[in-house]
C-alpha cells in the first residue's frame, strides 16, 4: 500500500470532498491533532462505518503509521476511497 506524504495531503486537505481521519485514541487526539481532522479511534472504526460518506476521500493519519495502515485497509475493504498518510511524527509526540 502506497503512503501519501504530508506534502501531498497539504495540497488536498482543504478540498470539500477530503476528510482527514485521525485514528488515534481520543486522549491522543485531544493532546494534539492536525487542524480540521476528525477523530474516530481505530478500535471504533468498524462500528462507525455507516456514519461515513462513501463520496468523500479519507486521508488516514496516526502517529506511527501502523494504525492508519490498518484503518485504510478496513475502509478500502468496505468500498471507501481511503489513503494512508505517512507517519505524522508531530502527532506521536507525548507532550
Amino acid at each position: 500500500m502506497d503512503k501519501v506524504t504530508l506534502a501531498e495531503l497539504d495540497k488536498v486537505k482543504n478540498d470539500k470532498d477530503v476528510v482527514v481521519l485521525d485514528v488515534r485514541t481520543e486522549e491522543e487526539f485531544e493532546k494534539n491533532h492536525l487542524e480540521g481532522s476528525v477523530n474516530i479511534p481505530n478500535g471504533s472504526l468498524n462500528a462507525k462505518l455507516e456514519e461515513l460518506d462513501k463520496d468523500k476521500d479519507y486521508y488516514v493519519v496516526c502517529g506511527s503509521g501502523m494504525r492508519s495502515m490498518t484503518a485504510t485497509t478496513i475502509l478500502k475493504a468496505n468500498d471507501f476511497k481511503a489513503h494512508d498518510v505517512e507517519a505524522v511524527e508531530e502527532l506521536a509526540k507525548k507532550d
Side-chain angles (χ1 to χ4, degrees), residues 52-92:
L52 301 178
D53 184 345
K54 288 193 176 184
D55 292 327
K56 301 287 184 183
D57 278 308
Y58 291 91
Y59 285 78
V60 187
V61 300
C62 72
S64 70
M66 294 304 296
R67 288 176 282 186
S68 64
M69 182 176 64
T70 301
T72 300
T73 301
I74 291 168
L75 289 169
K76 286 184 172 188
N78 285 277
D79 299 320
F80 287 92
K81 295 177 273 185
H83 313 277
D84 186 15
V85 179
E86 66 185 3
V88 182
E89 292 179 18
E90 67 187 69
L91 297 179

Side-chain angles (χ1 to χ4, degrees), residues 5-7 9-10 13 19-24 28-39 59-63 85-92:
T5 66
L6 286 174
L9 173 60
D10 199 45
K13 70 181 179 184
V19 176
V20 179
L21 179 62
D22 188 323
V23 294
R24 297 173 304 135
E28 289 172 300
F29 184 80
E30 287 174 12
K31 288 180 185 176
N32 188 17
H33 58 270
L34 297 177
E35 186 177 336
S37 61
V38 174
N39 180 231
Y59 285 78
V60 187
V61 300
C62 72
V85 179
E86 66 185 3
V88 182
E89 292 179 18
E90 67 187 69
L91 297 179

